[in-house]
Amino acid sequence: MNSVNTLWEYRLQPEDAGQKYLSILKHKFHFSLKVLQHLKQGERVWVDGCFTYLTARGKEGQLLTIQLFAEEESPIQGEDLPLSILYEDDYLLAVNKPVGQVVHPNRRYPNNTLGNAVMGYWERKGEQRLFRPIHRIDRNTSGVVIIAKNQFAHQQLAWQLERGHIHKRYYGFVHGYLRADSGTINSPIGLAPNSFIKRQIQETGEPSRTDYRVIRRYSEACLLEFILETGRTHQIRVHCESIGHPLLGDDLYGGDTSLINRQALHSSVYAFLHPVTGLPLVIRAPFPEDLRHLLKALNKAKE
């Protein structure tokens, strides 16, 4: 199997003159200490085509080139599984995760996960990479999952995520009729007593904020758009239950399963800056078949 090396390039600007390359990479581009340590191993840093050290100082106009290292062998077994690719380049892979699929293999779900599918896809292309999802969504939540193709891309996107620079939008169908067009749920979430899975609102929980907007009202349900200010486990599901409007199909948090047999929640949009170009990137995932059927059923009931 072939390892994958990717080149990162930057033309030094006037403000970079006299600065150490190490300082430019660390402070201007937020290279992590772990990535910088890897760059010190072997000839991975060049200026105008010639090898240099990170401690050397730069000059305006120089072309700084970094060879991002090949990945180690992944412990995840690749499998030939369907993969719905929304976007791909040398640094990122964005997929539309189906309902019922776990993101990362674990003891309960060692196979048929998104990780197995992605590794199988890369193996068929002859590429050796690690599976580095930027985030996870629940097994029965569908939609966008972003995977970094190398440690640098992962570190850059993790930096954006930690600082709230990645904007996530979900769509969900909730029980009941919301009169307000929009609102905010700002309630801390913690693990429910005697449970390893269920969460609940509790004063000692982690700060959690969900903004929502009503997209469409039906006779006994509403389609909402959610914008997450934080990313707690089951956040939307817990917050919807807390205001008396659980997600349709979410029997863990009080939802009815007569119209759909899983929480009617979809990770629809991820907007962020590309880890290399810095340009805005928006990834969108269309509704899966079960949510399209739910839409038809609700529209028919409204007629």
Side-chain angles (χ1 to χ4, degrees):
M1 181 179 294
N2 297 324
S3 60
V4 179
N5 290 296
T6 307
L7 297 181
W8 177 93
E9 294 183 335
Y10 170 66
R11 183 76 64 178
L12 268 64
Q13 301 301 304
E15 65 270 18
D16 302 317
Q19 298 291 320
K20 292 180 179 180
Y21 302 121
L22 178 67
S23 179
I24 295 171
L25 295 175
K26 181 179 179 181
H27 299 294
K28 194 168 189 175
F29 294 102
H30 315 295
F31 276 58
S32 69
L33 292 176
K34 187 174 182 179
V35 171
L36 292 171
Q37 286 293 332
H38 277 285
L39 293 179
K40 293 179 180 179
Q41 302 171 8
E43 296 186 2
R44 298 186 179 277
V45 183
W46 298 274
V47 169
D48 295 334
C50 298
F51 167 70
T52 190
Y53 292 98
L54 288 175
T55 52
R57 296 182 183 274
K59 297 179 181 179
E60 178 185 352
Q62 288 179 328
L63 181 63
L64 178 62
T65 304
I66 303 294
Q67 183 190 53
L68 299 174
F69 36 86
E71 300 288 8
E72 307 89 352
E73 185 174 349
S74 173
I76 299 176
Q77 181 68 42
E79 298 177 25
D80 189 2
L81 300 171
L83 193 64
S84 176
I85 297 176
L86 302 170
Y87 174 87
E88 184 176 16
D89 62 20
D90 288 340
Y91 296 88
L92 302 174
L93 175 67
V95 302
N96 190 0
K97 187 190 80 66
V99 176
Q101 188 176 58
V102 172
V103 171
H104 205 284
N106 56 44
R107 289 185 178 181
R108 187 176 180 185
Y109 300 100
N111 304 107
N112 300 312
T113 70
L114 182 62
N116 299 121
V118 170
M119 291 307 302
Y121 169 68
W122 283 336
E123 288 171 5
R124 292 190 296 276
K125 293 177 66 178
E127 297 179 1
Q128 181 174 318
R129 303 183 185 276
L130 294 183
F131 179 61
R132 299 181 184 274
I134 302 303
H135 59 105
R136 301 186 188 191
I137 56 178
D138 293 342
R139 180 171 65 90
N140 284 328
T141 297
S142 54
V144 179
V145 175
I146 309 294
I147 300 116
K149 284 191 168 185
N150 56 51
Q151 187 182 23
F152 170 74
H154 184 271
Q155 174 255 306
Q156 291 286 299
L157 291 180
W159 186 89
Q160 291 187 47
L161 189 64
E162 290 170 1
R163 287 155 181 79
H165 297 166
I166 294 181
H167 301 283
K168 300 170 286 185
R169 294 177 184 268
Y170 288 72
Y171 287 100
F173 296 83
V174 301
H175 287 281
Y177 190 95
L178 281 78
R179 296 189 179 280
D181 292 334
S182 62
T184 296
I185 308 169
N186 198 351
S187 302
I189 294 175
L191 191 63
N194 304 316
S195 176
F196 294 105
I197 299 175
K198 191 172 183 181
R199 268 66 178 174
Q200 66 179 23
I201 303 299
Q202 54 185 229
E203 292 183 2
T204 57
E206 296 180 288
S208 307
R209 173 172 169 155
T210 303
D211 299 324
Y212 67 87
R213 181 170 66 94
V214 177
I215 302 299
R216 189 165 186 181
R217 294 179 173 90
Y218 302 93
S219 57
E220 296 182 0
C222 289
L223 170 59
L224 303 185
E225 177 188 64
F226 301 97
I227 299 176
L228 297 185
E229 300 295 332
T230 54
R232 312 304 178 198
T233 301
H234 296 182
Q235 178 174 317
I236 293 174
R237 301 167 66 185
V238 174
H239 274 173
C240 286
E241 181 195 38
S242 74
I243 62 171
H245 296 280
L247 289 163
L248 271 64
D250 192 358
D251 55 357
L252 183 63
Y253 293 102
D256 182 81
T257 59
S258 58
L259 292 179
I260 188 169
N261 61 1
R262 59 102 170 182
Q263 65 260 19
L265 185 63
H266 182 68
S267 172
S268 182
V269 179
Y270 256 69
F272 53 93
L273 299 181
H274 191 280
V276 175
T277 66
L279 296 175
L281 187 61
V282 180
I283 308 295
R284 305 178 191 276
F287 274 6
E289 185 177 3
D290 63 345
L291 289 185
R292 294 197 299 270
H293 286 165
L294 177 61
L295 267 174
K296 290 180 181 179
L298 292 173
N299 284 326
K300 186 175 182 181
K302 190 176 181 180
E303 294 175 355

